[in-house]
Amino acid sequence: MKVTVKLFASLRDGRFDEAVLEVPESGFVSDAIAAAGLSEGEATVMFRNARHVLPEDALVEGDSLSLFPPVGGG
Amino acid sequence: MDTIIRIDVGAAKGPKVTKEAAGKYAGIGGRALTSTVVAAEVPPLCHALGPENKLVIAPGLLSGTAAGNSGRLSIGCKSPLTGGIKESNAGGQAAQVLARLGIAGIILEGAPAGTPCYLVTIDKDGVKVADDQSLKGLGNYALIDVLKKRFGEKVAVISIGQAGEMRLPAASIACTDMEMHPTRHAGRGGVGAVMGSKGVKAIAINDEGCKTREPKNPEAFKAANKVWIEGLKKHPVTGGGLPSFGTNVLSNIINEAGGFPTNNFKTGQFAGVSKISGETCAALETKRGGLATHGCHRGCVIQCSGIYNDAEGNYLTKQPEYETVWAHGANCGIDDMDAIAMLDRLDDDIGLDTIEMGATVAVAMEAGLLKFGDAKGAIELIKEIGKGTPLGRLVGSGAGAMGRAYGIERIPVVKNQAMPAYDPRAIMGIGVTYATTPMGADHTAGYAIATNILKVGGYVDPPQGRGPDRAVAQPPDRDGSHRFHRHVPLHRLRRPRPGRHLPGPHRPDQRHAWPVPHRRRRHRPWQVHPQDRARLQQGCRLHQGRRPPSDVDEARSGSAAQRDLHHRGRGTRQSVQLVGFLIGGRRARS
Ligand code: SF4
């Protein structure tokens, strides 16, 4: 199945900003992270359709997954 | 750092400067010092622009030492915007320089006669106050140009622009950075108006001939500072995200979380976010020969700031902060980074809080004064403030004033201060901060974003708030827009107690999602006892044929005497007596 993966801040270096990636049917967030070429722990904040998720959470076709490294400010 | 400088601008023979030992304020600095002085010395009911209010300026306890990132300046007073205590914070050089001179705080007090324009100069030889009318009406940038010629590039300046001189509730106080640009502002709460009300235009501080403050135990200090600086450099936020992209790295993450208020808080995501994000801004700065990593004062380890050049490669402003980019960008539907940078420059020059200004322009957009996304119109509107036109003064009075002037219902303020860049409906923790701090909507009073969004220092899922924060969140209207509570009564903030006030079964999973109002059960002496109610109703002509009076009516109807009056029917002999009794005249009773 296909999910949209968006990368932000330093995760973009040498990768992409936004891409539609193929992950195994009934896959997990961790599968999409691997498909995006990120190593474990690189992304610390993940949103699936604007809600926080963890690597072990499930994905469904058409989900939008946003991955962030540690960031702060304000 | 043991001296407090008091400048009484209202003294009979012109401003009187007193140097005193820190005394009971010794051992505290920054926000603690400014708030303590305000709480102790400013009468809470005074007018914020009157002689009783005081403006307190203080460096941090470690400012002026070799400690990393120790250069923040705190400014406190009673706020003309919220009517409550206010603390506003700025970077820039001023804190380090003040501390090196041994100054723990500056307190401006009293009210001047006439309309002076004081320039305060502080150096190792002392404090001078001079009325310099030639500085009147200058914007911060022009003012600094003048002062640079007089004092050179080594001084640090704390100043106000035209907005502060006009005493507008959104006026800020500017501090110069390492390049002598007046770009670091104590923005919130109208502190600039209070400085203006004291007639002080600028404070120029020169620490020539002063040394870095020496610790009592140099070895221990050095060791601790090393750990501190290494920690800052090693942490991915302070050592990676902030230096590379600045605070504006937040635009994308807050947008992804649905908490990026857009078009005057109508939606929580902005379609044009990628054009104004920290990533885009940093790339643009580097391309144009500016700087994406830059500190706002000497000794800053994090270096979250930058230098933003215009398309021709000339300096325009510092790297706009996240809150500024949000306020003038997403909240106004503007996705043009150059326009946002120009608005930032104008705010800095005129001396305005960027958060309040973005929110005010957005309310003006909602009112139909200009269209969402109209960058040119927004720039013109801010320029009006510098000119001091009636419209400009209205804009400079903040979002609350603008909304009231145009009869707008949706005004995102708490205690009349504009909400900053985090929507409390998507990020409920920050809603608790807005609702509970005495300073009104102020994200620095409890930065719940760290745990709600960034997973720094813990994690709490933002939309799954419990208890009080549920009442802040309301489902969106059918058109997708959100409505603000005008007022959340206290009883609505309590969770319903299962089994007592809810009908039906009360297993936890069947509890109401939204708090239902408590019904008051306890009998209170000033209410009519239920046993007396029937008797009273018989004699109550006002309620014949209508619903019986409820507890609420009774509670509302005020004192026992008033209620009695109501229930006995008007026009009776007793009520005449009672009226007389209430107004305290003997005549009516005799
Ligand atoms: S540049 Fe950023 S991190 Fe450094 S002192 Fe200024 S505000 Fe703080």
Side-chain angles (χ1 to χ4, degrees):
Chain A
M1 65 179 180
K2 287 185 165 46
V3 293
T4 308
V5 176
K6 295 190 223 167
L7 302 183
F8 296 97
S10 56
L11 298 186
R12 287 181 176 176
D13 297 344
R15 299 197 186 91
F16 54 89
D17 293 4
E18 186 174 340
V20 179
L21 300 179
E22 186 68 38
V23 293
E25 209 57 43
S26 52
F28 298 93
V29 172
S30 52
D31 297 327
I33 291 176
L38 300 179
S39 53
E40 213 175 297
E42 245 186 297
T44 53
V45 181
M46 297 144 240
F47 292 98
R48 186 183 62 118
N49 308 332
R51 291 295 301 268
H52 277 289
V53 283
L54 294 171
E56 56 267 30
D57 287 326
L59 289 174
V60 293
E61 171 90 41
D63 270 349
S64 164
L65 186 69
S66 309
L67 305 175
F68 291 86
V71 290
Chain B
M1 271 233 312
D2 44 16
T3 329
I4 286 184
I5 294 176
R6 281 182 195 269
I7 305 178
D8 179 5
V9 292
K13 287 182 197 146
K16 187 169 138 238
V17 180
T18 341
K19 274 192 186 179
E20 57 185 42
K24 63 176 174 177
Y25 300 125
I28 49 172
R31 183 176 273 202
L33 179 72
T34 56
S35 295
T36 306
V37 175
V38 173
E41 299 187 12
V42 177
L45 297 180
C46 75
H47 195 290
L49 302 177
E52 288 169 312
N53 198 5
K54 300 189 181 189
L55 189 79
V56 190
I57 303 172
L61 268 188
L62 289 179
S63 296
T65 68
N69 278 74
S70 56
R72 299 287 301 190
L73 188 78
S74 170
I75 302 184
C77 61
K78 174 173 172 161
S79 160
L81 185 72
T82 66
I85 192 167
K86 173 54 68 181
E87 194 274 347
S88 208
N89 214 278
Q93 289 279 73
Q96 303 281 38
V97 174
L98 272 178
R100 256 177 246 137
L101 282 162
I103 296 167
I106 303 174
I107 304 176
L108 303 182
E109 47 194 29
T115 51
C117 185
Y118 291 127
L119 169 65
V120 180
T121 44
I122 304 176
D123 55 25
K124 64 179 194 321
D125 301 325
V127 182
K128 284 189 210 88
V129 186
D131 186 4
D132 187 341
Q133 293 290 328
S134 71
L135 304 178
K136 219 172 202 164
L138 292 184
N140 280 314
Y141 274 95
L143 174 76
I144 296 304
D145 282 344
V146 173
L147 298 186
K148 240 195 297 196
K149 279 190 200 120
R150 272 191 222 173
F151 304 117
E153 303 238 352
K154 289 254 164 69
V155 294
V157 181
I158 302 171
S159 64
I160 54 171
Q162 297 97 332
E165 284 186 53
M166 286 185 266
R167 308 173 184 196
L168 298 177
S172 66
I173 295 177
C175 297
T176 48
D177 58 14
M178 288 197 290
E179 287 76 30
M180 279 289 275
H181 292 140
T183 52
R184 313 292 151 172
H185 286 239
R188 309 235 64 198
V191 288
V194 178
M195 187 155 155
S197 75
K198 306 293 176 209
V200 177
K201 174 77 177 166
I203 305 173
I205 317 150
N206 190 344
D207 67 348
E208 241 178 282
C210 297
K211 282 201 220 87
T212 305
R213 286 170 62 214
E214 286 301 325
K216 275 224 171 96
N217 182 342
E219 291 312 309
F221 182 87
K222 231 180 172 177
N225 195 25
K226 200 170 152 222
V227 175
W228 164 236
I229 290 177
E230 268 170 18
L232 286 177
K233 285 200 172 140
K234 225 172 40 210
H235 194 280
V237 172
T238 47
L242 280 174
S244 314
F245 307 107
T247 53
N248 191 17
V249 72
L250 288 180
S251 281
N252 274 322
I253 194 165
I254 304 293
N255 188 62
E256 285 304 316
F260 198 48
T262 299
N263 292 356
N264 193 27
F265 284 76
K266 270 205 199 72
T267 59
Q269 290 188 321
F270 181 44
V273 66
S274 67
K275 292 194 197 157
I276 61 171
S277 68
E279 289 90 333
T280 309
C281 187
L284 198 64
E285 282 164 356
T286 314
K287 198 178 104 194
R288 290 179 177 176
L291 266 179
T293 306
H294 179 249
C296 73
H297 69 77
R298 270 177 274 158
C300 168
V301 180
I302 305 173
Q303 309 223 335
C304 78
S305 193
I307 290 177
Y308 191 99
N309 288 349
D310 62 15
E312 278 82 53
N314 300 319
Y315 169 84
L316 180 62
T317 185
K318 89 280 193 183
Q319 173 177 293
E321 301 290 342
Y322 165 62
E323 281 78 10
T324 307
V325 171
W326 160 77
H328 281 305
N331 197 39
C332 296
I334 294 172
D335 61 4
D336 174 356
M337 199 58 224
D338 280 333
I340 295 168
M342 180 47 110
L343 287 160
D344 182 65
R345 158 97 188 197
L346 286 170
D347 287 345
D348 282 354
D349 193 29
I350 302 166
L352 292 159
D353 175 16
T354 55
I355 297 175
E356 195 67 44
M357 281 307 96
T360 309
V361 173
V363 170
M365 287 170 164
E366 173 121 10
L369 215 62
L370 63 168
K371 286 212 172 64
F372 281 107
D374 180 0
K376 264 200 197 129
I379 289 173
E380 288 311 314
L381 208 54
I382 299 295
K383 280 186 179 164
E384 291 289 307
I385 309 173
K387 293 182 212 154
T389 61
L391 176 63
R393 284 170 189 266
L394 175 62
V395 180
S397 298
M402 176 60 84
R404 277 194 295 278
Y406 280 88
I408 297 298
E409 196 187 346
R410 299 176 63 262
I411 314 171
V413 294
V414 178
K415 294 189 169 71
N416 202 38
Q417 175 163 267
M419 283 188 211
Y422 315 90
D423 196 311
R425 294 160 297 193
I427 311 168
M428 292 190 175
I430 203 74
V432 177
T433 299
Y434 296 165
T436 53
T437 163
M439 300 203 289
D442 187 327
H443 60 291
T444 69
Y447 195 61
I449 307 305
T451 42
N452 265 179
I453 300 293
L454 309 173
K455 296 192 177 176
V456 173
Y459 172 62
V460 180
D461 191 26
Q464 289 214 327
R466 290 192 165 261
D469 45 14
R470 277 192 181 280
V472 181
Q474 289 282 289
D477 282 356
R478 243 185 257 154
D479 63 355
S481 69
H482 287 279
R483 229 162 252 289
F484 293 101
H485 269 295
R486 279 219 200 117
H487 166 64
V488 184
L490 210 57
H491 66 257
R492 294 216 40 183
L493 290 171
R494 292 195 202 119
R495 280 176 80 73
R497 273 181 285 172
R500 286 204 59 198
H501 307 296
L502 290 178
H506 303 298
R507 293 203 319 271
D509 54 336
Q510 289 174 323
R511 276 181 213 164
H512 278 223
W514 304 95
V516 289
H518 255 341
R519 259 180 68 77
R520 196 170 36 231
R521 284 298 157 98
R522 222 182 57 212
H523 171 68
R524 295 194 164 86
W526 59 87
Q527 289 166 1
V528 180
H529 196 277
Q531 283 170 359
D532 295 335
R533 190 181 290 158
R535 187 172 51 79
L536 281 167
Q537 272 165 17
Q538 284 169 1
C540 175
R541 279 184 282 140
L542 279 174
H543 285 115
Q544 271 168 13
R546 296 198 212 160
R547 68 179 170 83
S550 68
D551 280 3
V552 179
D553 291 336
E554 283 149 14
R556 271 201 201 121
S557 59
S559 72
Q562 280 173 323
R563 202 180 54 243
D564 243 354
L565 173 70
H566 169 76
H567 280 288
R568 278 166 208 263
R570 294 195 178 124
T572 63
R573 192 179 144 75
Q574 288 107 317
S575 65
V576 173
Q577 281 184 348
L578 274 164
V579 169
F581 180 64
L582 280 172
I583 58 176
R586 290 177 82 191
R587 219 169 353 129
R589 254 184 281 166
S590 60

